[in-house]
């Protein structure tokens, strides 16, 4: 065993798409093909970063295990239908494999809430590997207080503690890369456990490995319940697993992404903290889970939403923390270098203060889908839905920030359409749930008023297309949900015209779309194509009888996935690089819904 030099501080970061996701439904880690975990927060998704090199530079910490010298990645994939990742390198005439994952099933057992298991195995002879364990907590990159407890390396920062166990035993020192020899008959297993305001529980490496293997069986059973005839099933099940990993199990609230400040433009300032819960994005995910026969996720989210919104109902905030509390104010982190120099790095999110009318439509629509699947709402949930519908009646005439969270409000056509949807779906739920005649008439009148207003002020007859804002000629790719709503017949010329206009005017090459004309949002810099919009286009084509086009487009989008089947929020149309926070819940949810639309579309 010997010390080896640390990686060059100025080395460029790995591409965003190079990272794999490890998760346990409480927090997540992003690991590159070099074996470096460059992002992980404790004790949960929105906690302090433990390894933050991805956006904080070398001083923010990393945890790498892999070949000590030159090596080539020859295979990298998840074990089928699991969250366990395998990376194999060729080192000379030998092979070194890293198998790693996090244990999700810890409830009811004496286990740490986070248990990260990593095992190196060698083929063809002994191989020199390196372990670089350098945890740095939070915005200040704080080094830990270090002690050894029997065979454990323990790192402490007040209420947070992290342990690292190694078998065979090795003396590891945080921040000092260390060489180890991995032999074919002697794999190296490392186990990281965390604790927050609780005792630090030790798990022996061999026992932790068995727990990870048992977890794989759980995931395979969960995936086996998905329709085997579902189109593009492998891509869909990988997205479902990703969505499940990004759902915070203690509250059943899904985060928009596990990362903060991955840029929408390399070197630019469009860097936001997505480690919170957007009811809109969560509702799209709920509909995806319901579409594949997973009602438990929908039930859990609705229960969480009731708790989260109880103090502000009937108003629906744009986003919450994982526990349903107010999101911290947005602030910039001093000294954080940003991904590829993209600064500032932000935590917190000021979009929490915005009025976003469209959120009411997405949420009520998800509840309607839940009811359509044969489930009945309890009295409190139905009361909350009625309250959301009443807010729409009061506020639909106001400008809002909309789905794209613009810093200046306007009369956005998509928002008005989603307000219409909230009332329409609430009226649909009322067919099987109690509602007074007076309230029903109020909803019906408002629904009709919105329809007339949008058709009058939000439609461009020259292009036969709905537009982005009242009085504007610009388009908005969010309008691709139009054929799914019911305000217009799916076969109407207005729907077809809107789809074709968006595809032509917002096309970014191949299957990619901009969400609106680039740069037309009041923020400096530019951004990439917005991936969920492309999956909405697939859905729109399938829903309007253009199944063959939908299938072709869907396949082209699958070809743009990361090597591990993951998607960020955006993509550079020129280079194909993934941009923005990653992996993105909204992208994966819209992928699932697009596949479901293809399944439902008539052949031909």
């Amino acid at each position: 065993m010997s010390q080896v030099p640390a990686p060059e501080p100025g080395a460029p970061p790995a591409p965003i798409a190079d990272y794999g996701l490890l998760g346990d439904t409480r927090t997540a880690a992003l690991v590159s093909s070099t074996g470096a975990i460059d992002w992980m927060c404790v004790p949960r998704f929105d906690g302090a970063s433990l390894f933050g090199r991805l956006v904080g530079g070398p001083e923010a910490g990393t945890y790498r295990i892999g070949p000590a010298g030159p090596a080539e990645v020859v295979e990298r994939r998840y074990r089928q239908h699991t969250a366990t990742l395998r990376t194999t390198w060729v080192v000379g005439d030998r092979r070194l494999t890293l198998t790693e994952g996090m244990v999700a099933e810890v409830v009811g057992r004496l286990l740490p809430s986070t248990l990260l298991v990593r095992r190196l195995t060698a083929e063809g002879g002994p191989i020199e590997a390196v372990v670089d364990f350098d945890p740095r907590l939070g915005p200040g990159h704080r080094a830990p207080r270090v002690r050894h407890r029997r065979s454990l390396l323990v790192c402490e920062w007040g209420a947070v503690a992290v342990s690292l166990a190694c078998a065979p035993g090795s003396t590891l020192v945080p921040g000092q890369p260390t060489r180890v020899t991995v032999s074919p008959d002697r794999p190296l297993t490392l186990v990281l456990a965390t604790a927050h305001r609780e005792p630090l529980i030790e798990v022996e490496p061999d026992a932790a490995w068995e727990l990870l293997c048992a977890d794989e069986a759980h995931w395979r059973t969960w995936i086996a319940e998905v329709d085997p005839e579902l189109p593009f099933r492998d891509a869909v099940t990988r997205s479902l697993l990703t969505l499940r990993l990004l759902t915070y199990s203690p509250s059943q609230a899904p985060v928009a992404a596990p990362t903060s400040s991955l840029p929408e433009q390399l070197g630019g300032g469009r860097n936001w903290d997505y480690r919170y819960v957007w009811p809109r994005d969560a509702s799209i995910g709920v509909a995806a889970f319901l579409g594949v026969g997973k009602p438990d996720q929908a039930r859990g989210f609705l229960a969480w939403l009731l708790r989260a919104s109880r103090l502000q109902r009937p108003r629906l905030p744009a986003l919450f923390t994982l526990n349903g509390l107010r999101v911290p104010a947005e602030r910039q982190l001093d000294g954080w270098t940003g991904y590829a120099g993209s600064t500032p790095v932000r935590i917190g999110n000021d979009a929490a203060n915005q009025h976003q009318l469209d959120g009411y439509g997405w949420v009520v629509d998800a509840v309607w889908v839940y009811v359509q699947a044969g489930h009945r709402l309890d009295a409190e949930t139905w009361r909350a839905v009625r309250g959301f519908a009443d807010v729409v009646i009061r506020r639909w005439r106001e400008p809002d920030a909309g789905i794209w969270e613009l810093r200046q409000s306007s009369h956005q056509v998509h928002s008005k359409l989603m307000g219409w949807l909230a009332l329409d779906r609430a009226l649909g739920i009322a067919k099987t749930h109690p509602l007074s005649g007076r309230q029903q008439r109020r909803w019906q009148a408002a629904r009709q008023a919105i329809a007339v207003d949008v058709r009058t002020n939000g439609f461009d007859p020259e292009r036969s297309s709905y537009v982005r804002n009242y009085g504007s000629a610009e388009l908005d790719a969010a309008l691709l949900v139009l054929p799914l709503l019911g305000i217009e017949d799916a076969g109407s010329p207005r729907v077809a015209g809107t789809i074709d206009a968006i595809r032509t005017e917002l096309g970014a090459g191949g299957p990619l779309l901009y969400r609106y004309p680039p740069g037309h949002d009041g923020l400096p810099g530019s951004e990439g194509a917005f991936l969920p919009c492309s999956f909405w286009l697939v859905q729109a084509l399938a829903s309007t009888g253009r199944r063959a086009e939908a299938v072709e487009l869907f396949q082209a989008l699958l070809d743009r996935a990361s090597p591990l089947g993951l998607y960020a929020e955006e993509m550079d149309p020129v280079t194909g690089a993934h941009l923005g926070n990653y992996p993105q819940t909204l992208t994966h949810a819209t992928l699932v819904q697009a596949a479901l639309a293809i399944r439902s579309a008539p052949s031909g």
Side-chain angles (χ1 to χ4, degrees), residues 373-395:
H375 306 285
R376 189 168 181 84
L377 306 181
D378 59 42
E380 185 182 1
T381 305
W382 179 221
R383 187 181 307 113
V385 170
R386 296 199 307 268
F388 295 153
D390 287 340
V391 170
V392 171
I393 289 176
R394 291 198 302 270
R395 303 197 67 178

Side-chain angles (χ1 to χ4, degrees), residues 34-84:
T34 67
I37 292 177
D38 289 334
W39 183 260
M40 178 178 168
C41 296
V42 292
R44 61 187 202 179
F45 296 108
D46 60 352
S49 60
L50 183 69
F51 309 116
R53 181 176 179 269
L54 186 65
V55 293
E59 294 80 9
T62 189
Y63 173 25
R64 176 180 175 252
I65 62 175
E72 178 185 357
V73 176
V74 293
E75 185 180 35
R76 194 163 189 242
R77 61 180 178 82
Y78 287 101
R79 285 182 171 176
Q80 188 174 28
H81 299 159
T82 78
T84 303

Side-chain angles (χ1 to χ4, degrees), residues 234-560:
D234 287 345
V236 170
T237 53
R238 178 51 51 195
S239 287
L240 289 170
L241 268 168
T242 302
L243 292 170
R244 188 70 188 89
L245 289 174
L246 297 180
T247 300
Y248 182 60
S249 56
S251 69
Q252 295 300 305
V255 292
T259 55
S260 176
S261 297
L262 286 178
E264 297 172 9
Q265 177 191 21
L266 292 182
R270 295 169 179 252
N271 316 315
W272 315 106
D273 190 351
Y274 275 17
R275 299 172 302 150
Y276 306 109
V277 186
W278 273 255
R280 171 202 309 115
D281 297 17
S283 296
I284 296 170
V286 161
F289 280 125
L290 285 168
V292 297
K294 296 287 186 184
D296 288 348
Q297 277 64 51
R299 192 177 297 112
F301 167 70
L302 292 177
W304 171 84
L305 186 62
L306 280 180
R307 295 193 301 271
S309 63
R310 67 193 183 280
L311 297 180
Q312 300 186 62
R313 282 204 305 259
R315 175 181 176 268
L316 180 66
L319 61 154
F320 297 91
T321 68
L322 298 172
N323 287 343
L325 302 177
R326 187 177 182 82
V327 170
E330 198 172 283
R331 66 187 181 97
Q332 300 178 8
L333 298 183
D334 295 333
W336 284 60
T337 57
Y339 178 87
S342 306
T343 57
V345 172
R346 295 180 174 94
I347 57 174
N349 198 306
D350 284 347
N353 300 318
Q354 293 181 346
H355 168 47
Q356 299 178 13
L357 182 69
D358 72 289
Y360 295 89
W362 291 112
V363 168
V364 178
D365 182 62
V367 177
W368 177 77
V369 173
Y370 181 74
V371 171
Q372 290 293 105
H375 306 285
R376 189 168 181 84
L377 306 181
D378 59 42
E380 185 182 1
T381 305
W382 179 221
R383 187 181 307 113
V385 170
R386 296 199 307 268
F388 295 153
D390 287 340
V391 170
V392 171
I393 289 176
R394 291 198 302 270
R395 303 197 67 178
W396 73 266
R397 297 182 186 277
E398 301 175 15
D400 79 312
I403 188 171
W404 307 130
E405 303 184 338
L406 303 178
R407 299 294 163 123
Q408 184 174 357
S409 295
S410 63
H411 289 284
Q412 300 187 54
V413 173
H414 174 264
S415 293
K416 309 293 187 188
L417 290 172
M418 297 307 290
W420 180 95
L421 184 71
L423 297 174
D424 182 75
R425 299 306 192 247
L427 285 163
I429 297 169
K431 293 178 181 178
T432 55
H433 291 71
L435 183 71
S436 71
R438 179 175 175 274
Q439 196 166 23
Q440 182 178 32
R441 289 188 293 273
R442 286 180 64 239
W443 290 358
Q444 290 171 335
R447 180 180 61 174
Q448 178 63 19
I450 295 175
V452 170
D453 193 66
V454 171
R455 289 176 181 138
T456 302
N457 299 305
F459 186 76
D460 180 353
E462 292 186 7
R463 284 185 291 177
S464 189
S465 173
Y466 282 95
V467 294
R468 181 181 178 188
N469 302 309
Y470 286 4
S472 168
E474 293 180 353
L475 299 180
D476 180 354
L479 295 172
L480 288 167
V481 301
L482 180 63
L484 311 174
L485 307 185
I487 191 171
E488 296 276 7
D489 184 84
S492 79
R494 287 181 172 227
V495 170
T498 300
I499 294 171
D500 291 339
I502 289 171
R503 198 173 187 183
T504 299
E505 297 184 35
L506 295 182
L512 302 179
L513 294 173
Y514 294 109
R515 50 182 168 175
Y516 43 69
H520 289 214
D521 55 13
L523 294 172
S526 62
E527 62 176 9
F530 202 78
L531 289 168
C533 295
S534 292
F535 287 111
W536 278 332
L537 177 57
V538 173
Q539 213 175 350
L541 293 171
S543 301
T544 54
R546 299 160 71 174
R547 187 180 190 277
E549 291 178 72
V551 169
E552 181 181 6
L553 182 64
F554 194 91
Q555 185 59 63
L557 289 167
L558 295 188
D559 294 341
R560 303 276 183 134

Side-chain angles (χ1 to χ4, degrees), residues 110 468 569:
L110 188 61
R468 181 181 178 188
E569 179 183 38

Side-chain angles (χ1 to χ4, degrees), residues 66-279:
E72 178 185 357
V73 176
V74 293
E75 185 180 35
R76 194 163 189 242
R77 61 180 178 82
Y78 287 101
R79 285 182 171 176
Q80 188 174 28
H81 299 159
T82 78
T84 303
L85 181 59
R86 285 172 58 91
T87 303
T88 299
W89 300 273
V90 167
V91 183
D93 60 352
R94 302 172 186 183
R95 295 165 72 95
L96 183 69
T97 296
L98 170 62
T99 305
E100 55 191 334
M102 300 171 78
V103 177
E105 294 296 302
V106 299
V107 176
R109 294 186 281 181
L110 188 61
L111 294 172
S113 60
T114 294
L115 191 64
L116 169 63
V117 186
R118 314 184 80 189
R119 173 171 280 191
L120 282 175
T121 55
E123 297 177 52
I127 300 176
E128 291 292 296
V130 65
V131 178
D132 183 2
F133 181 69
D134 187 19
R136 299 297 182 97
L137 191 70
H141 310 326
R142 287 192 291 148
R145 182 168 66 90
V146 178
R147 61 186 176 90
H148 287 85
R149 193 174 78 185
R150 299 188 300 276
S151 61
L152 285 182
L153 167 66
V154 178
C155 299
E156 296 175 319
W157 301 263
V160 174
V162 172
S163 68
L164 186 66
C166 183
S170 298
T171 303
L172 302 174
V173 179
Q176 295 184 15
T178 303
R179 282 186 184 270
V180 293
T181 300
V182 183
S183 302
D185 61 345
R186 204 177 187 200
L188 177 72
T189 306
L190 294 109
V191 179
L192 182 148
T194 70
H196 179 250
R197 302 185 188 278
E198 60 190 359
L200 186 59
I201 300 170
E202 179 179 357
V203 181
E204 293 294 332
D206 287 345
W209 177 255
E210 292 300 322
L211 288 167
L212 184 64
C213 293
D215 227 43
E216 291 184 3
H218 158 76
W219 288 120
R220 288 193 176 104
T221 299
W222 191 78
I223 288 298
E225 299 167 352
V226 176
D227 180 6
E229 302 301 321
L230 187 65
F232 306 100
R233 188 176 187 273
D234 287 345
V236 170
T237 53
R238 178 51 51 195
S239 287
L240 289 170
L241 268 168
T242 302
L243 292 170
R244 188 70 188 89
L245 289 174
L246 297 180
T247 300
Y248 182 60
S249 56
S251 69
Q252 295 300 305
V255 292
T259 55
S260 176
S261 297
L262 286 178
E264 297 172 9
Q265 177 191 21
L266 292 182
R270 295 169 179 252
N271 316 315
W272 315 106
D273 190 351
Y274 275 17
R275 299 172 302 150
Y276 306 109
V277 186
W278 273 255

